[in-house]
Amino acid sequence: MRHTRYVIVGLSFLVVLWLPVASTRAQQAVIVAGKSEYHKSCAVCHGSDGKGRGAMATLLKVKPANLTRLSANHDGIFPFWDVYRIIDGRKEIGGHGSGDMPVWGTVFKQEAGADLGADLSAHARILEIVYYLESIQAAPRGKP
Ligand code: HEC
């Protein structure tokens, strides 16, 4: 019986140690998926480093934004849901309706087909991209 107690304590300890590892892995998987989505759909305009110098940038009337400065432009806080809504594009957003950026919510939904899951799939792809963008934000000025 004494051994059982040690085994339980030992196992609980392992679970506690493993949890942060598991959540870091999940986070990495989402960001990696977002990175590949970004390279497929966004890099042509915003550049592979997100700084707005993609191959198509010179052809556009309105220059693609530097996506590594989203936090810096918002007092150091990543504007998560604003970014989400800009990418989705299905809701009107003042200033972003120039027509130079595709409406990704509609594109992703069309790619997924017409069933109920299409909307969810589009939401998931947008979320992955937003998490990826959050991960590439430039450090605030004055910090390394
Ligand atoms: C055809 C070129 C093009 C593509 C492809 C494109 N964008 Fe853009 N994007 C723009 C332009 C141009 C702007 C700035 C002008 C505007 O506001 O409409 C912009 C603005 C943005 C902004 C707003 C930035 C700010 O400072 O407010 C975000 C966020 C953004 N794009 C994310 C993305 C993401 C994510 C993708 C890929 C899913 C993407 N864009 C694909 C052209 C593009």
Side-chain angles (χ1 to χ4, degrees):
M1 277 300 110
R2 281 176 71 194
H3 289 307
T4 320
R5 199 191 310 155
Y6 286 127
V7 170
I8 290 172
V9 171
L11 283 178
S12 320
F13 214 68
L14 282 179
V15 168
V16 168
L17 287 179
W18 182 77
L19 276 178
V21 176
S23 70
T24 308
R25 272 204 208 138
Q27 196 178 339
Q28 276 307 320
V30 170
I31 290 174
V32 166
K35 183 175 183 178
S36 110
E37 282 291 348
Y38 176 85
H39 283 279
K40 268 189 275 173
S41 307
C42 324
V44 64
C45 290
H46 290 282
S48 58
D49 61 359
K51 292 188 178 163
R53 295 183 296 244
M56 264 186 80
T58 50
L59 306 173
L60 298 170
K61 288 187 283 38
V62 185
K63 292 294 154 232
N66 178 343
L67 299 180
T68 68
R69 303 218 41 95
L70 296 167
S71 293
N73 296 338
H74 290 86
D75 298 326
I77 296 160
F78 183 69
F80 194 97
W81 290 108
D82 288 343
V83 174
Y84 183 98
R85 281 189 288 267
I86 292 166
I87 300 170
D88 186 314
R90 283 177 285 180
K91 294 190 189 75
E92 284 296 320
I93 303 164
H96 291 105
S98 67
D100 277 320
M101 179 156 144
V103 178
W104 293 102
T106 312
V107 174
F108 289 161
K109 196 174 166 187
Q110 276 163 1
E111 281 181 17
D115 62 4
L116 270 180
D119 214 27
L120 277 181
S121 156
H123 286 309
R125 287 172 77 180
I126 296 170
L127 275 174
E128 284 167 356
I129 295 173
V130 180
Y131 278 114
Y132 169 65
L133 292 178
E134 185 182 32
S135 79
I136 61 164
Q137 293 308 296
R141 275 186 223 291
K143 295 219 173 127

